[in-house]
C-alpha cells in the first residue's frame, strides 16, 4: 500500500496548526503510521530538498525548515500520495483552492505550512529519511471496514 511523508513545517507548528493539519488527513480516512516532533538538522533538510539545490531560494528554504521543530508524519492508504497533495493544495497558498490546507491557512510560498511527497517513490524515500524503522507502526484501525467495502 502507498505511503506518503507529510510534515508540518516550522510555521505550522509556531502558529498552532498541528492539530488542524493532522485532523484533515485523519478525517479523510488515511492511516497514520508514524508521528514525531523533531528539530531538523541542516544536512537532513538539504538531503530532503536536494532536487531544489540549484534554486535561488534554496538557502532560505533550508533556513526555514530548520528554524524550529517540525511534525513528521507517515500516512498510508490507497492513492494517499496524490490525494494528500490535493488536500494540501498548490505550492503558492494564494493560488491554492479554498478548502485545501494551504488555501485555508497560509498566504505565502515561503511559509506554506506543510509538505507532502510528490510521488510514491519519494514517499518511501522521505519516510526512510525522516524515520527509523522502529518508529513506523503497522496497525488496523477499527474503522477500516467502514472506510472501504
Ligand atoms: P513541498 O510539499 O514542501 O515539497 O512543496 P511543493 O511540492 O508544493 O513545492 P516544491 O517541492 O516545488 O518546493 C518545496 C518548497 O520550497 C515549497 O513548499 C516552498 O516552501 C519552497 N519554495 C518553492 N518555491 C519557492 C519560491 O519561489 N520561493 C520561496 N521562498 N520558497 C519556495
Ligand atoms: Mg515538493
Amino acid at each position: 500500500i502507498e505511503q506518503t511523508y507529510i510534515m508540518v513545517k516550522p510555521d505550522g507548528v509556531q502558529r498552532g496548526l498541528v492539530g488542524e493539519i493532522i485532523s484533515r488527513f485523519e478525517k479523510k480516512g488515511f492511516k497514520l503510521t508514524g508521528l514525531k516532533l523533531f528539530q531538523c538538522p541542516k544536512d537532513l533538510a538539504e538531503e530532503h530538498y536536494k532536487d531544489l539545490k540549484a534554486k535561488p531560494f534554496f538557502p532560505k528554504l533550508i533556513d526555514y525548515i530548520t528554524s524550529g521543530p517540525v511534525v513528521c508524519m507517515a500516512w498510508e492508504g490507497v492513492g494517499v500520495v496524490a490525494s494528500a497533495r490535493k488536500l494540501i493544495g498548490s505550492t503558492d497558498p494564494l493560488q491554492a483552492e479554498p478548502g485545501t490546507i494551504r488555501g485555508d491557512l497560509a498566504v505565502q510560498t515561503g511559509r506554506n505550512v506543510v509538505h507532502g511527497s510528490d510521488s510514491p517513490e519519494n514517499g518511501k524515500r522521505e519516510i526512510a529519511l525522516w524515520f527509523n524503522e522502529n518508529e513506523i507502526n503497522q496497525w488496523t484501525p477499527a474503522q477500516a471496514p467502514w472506510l472501504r467495502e
Side-chain angles (χ1 to χ4, degrees):
I1 296 182
E2 214 169 277
Q3 297 192 321
T4 193
Y5 177 65
I6 303 294
M7 176 169 73
V8 182
K9 296 179 180 180
D11 50 333
V13 176
Q14 297 289 351
R15 292 176 54 208
L17 298 174
V18 172
E20 165 86 29
I21 292 169
I22 294 177
S23 271
R24 303 232 176 171
F25 297 97
E26 224 180 8
K27 288 177 188 164
K28 174 73 173 168
F30 293 122
K31 178 164 74 177
L32 184 64
T33 59
L35 174 68
K36 65 180 174 186
L37 182 78
F38 181 65
Q39 173 63 56
C40 175
K42 197 174 176 198
D43 57 346
L44 177 57
E46 287 172 349
E47 177 64 23
H48 174 79
Y49 281 125
K50 66 179 180 191
D51 292 349
L52 301 175
K53 203 153 199 162
K55 302 281 185 187
F57 58 82
F58 186 76
K60 267 187 8 184
L61 174 59
I62 300 308
D63 284 349
Y64 165 43
I65 295 300
T66 59
S67 63
V70 295
V71 171
C72 310
M73 291 178 272
W75 289 90
E76 187 180 288
V78 175
V80 68
V81 171
S83 177
R85 297 273 294 181
K86 280 193 179 175
L87 292 174
I88 288 170
S90 303
T91 307
D92 177 353
L94 292 184
Q95 302 303 321
E97 294 292 332
T100 65
I101 295 169
R102 288 170 177 163
D104 289 349
L105 304 175
V107 292
Q108 201 186 36
T109 302
R111 296 286 185 271
N112 62 3
V113 303
V114 64
H115 162 82
S117 307
D118 59 12
S119 68
E121 298 68 43
N122 275 332
K124 263 192 204 149
R125 177 183 83 90
E126 292 169 5
I127 288 169
L129 195 61
W130 290 86
F131 285 100
N132 296 314
E133 260 177 69
N134 65 3
E135 293 175 315
I136 300 298
N137 301 273
Q138 279 314 329
W139 59 294
T140 304
Q143 61 176 346
W146 304 103
L147 280 165
R148 301 181 61 82
E149 63 180 12

